[in-house]
Amino acid sequence: MSDKARTLFDALDLDHDGSLTRIEVINALRAKGPTLAAQGVIPAWGVGTDDDASALFDQADQNGDRVLSFEEFAALVDRRFGW
């Protein structure tokens, strides 16, 4: 798991509970996405629409519990963003 995945996970974890919900991912990417891209935390093409954020969540939620652990999240973003 990459340090970049941890940085991005922590930025999206708005309530700092160690997991991500769909709403958290959507809201955090909407609010912080452009800044995170400008800082190099995510690629600029990684900032998309609410539907893109929801699809990212669905791809990462491997066990279907509607909550992302860091491990689920990192496995997807490391592969998707080439980290």
Side-chain angles (χ1 to χ4, degrees):
M1 313 283 166
S2 71
D3 290 339
K4 286 185 177 186
R6 173 51 73 184
T7 299
L8 180 54
F9 185 89
D10 291 345
L12 300 180
D13 186 10
L14 299 176
D15 62 5
H16 309 289
D17 69 350
S19 64
L20 299 175
T21 64
R22 178 184 309 275
I23 296 300
E24 220 170 6
V25 171
I26 291 169
N27 288 341
L29 283 175
R30 185 184 310 139
K32 298 180 176 184
T35 301
L36 293 170
Q39 294 171 342
V41 175
I42 57 174
W45 58 265
V47 179
T49 65
D50 290 357
D51 288 341
D52 295 331
S54 186
L56 176 93
F57 183 93
D58 288 337
Q59 289 174 344
D61 188 16
Q62 293 298 307
N63 63 7
D65 66 353
R66 303 201 304 222
V67 175
L68 299 183
S69 66
F70 171 70
E71 290 76 17
E72 286 176 310
F73 179 80
L76 177 70
V77 297
D78 281 348
R79 186 174 62 249
R80 186 172 182 176
F81 296 149
W83 297 336

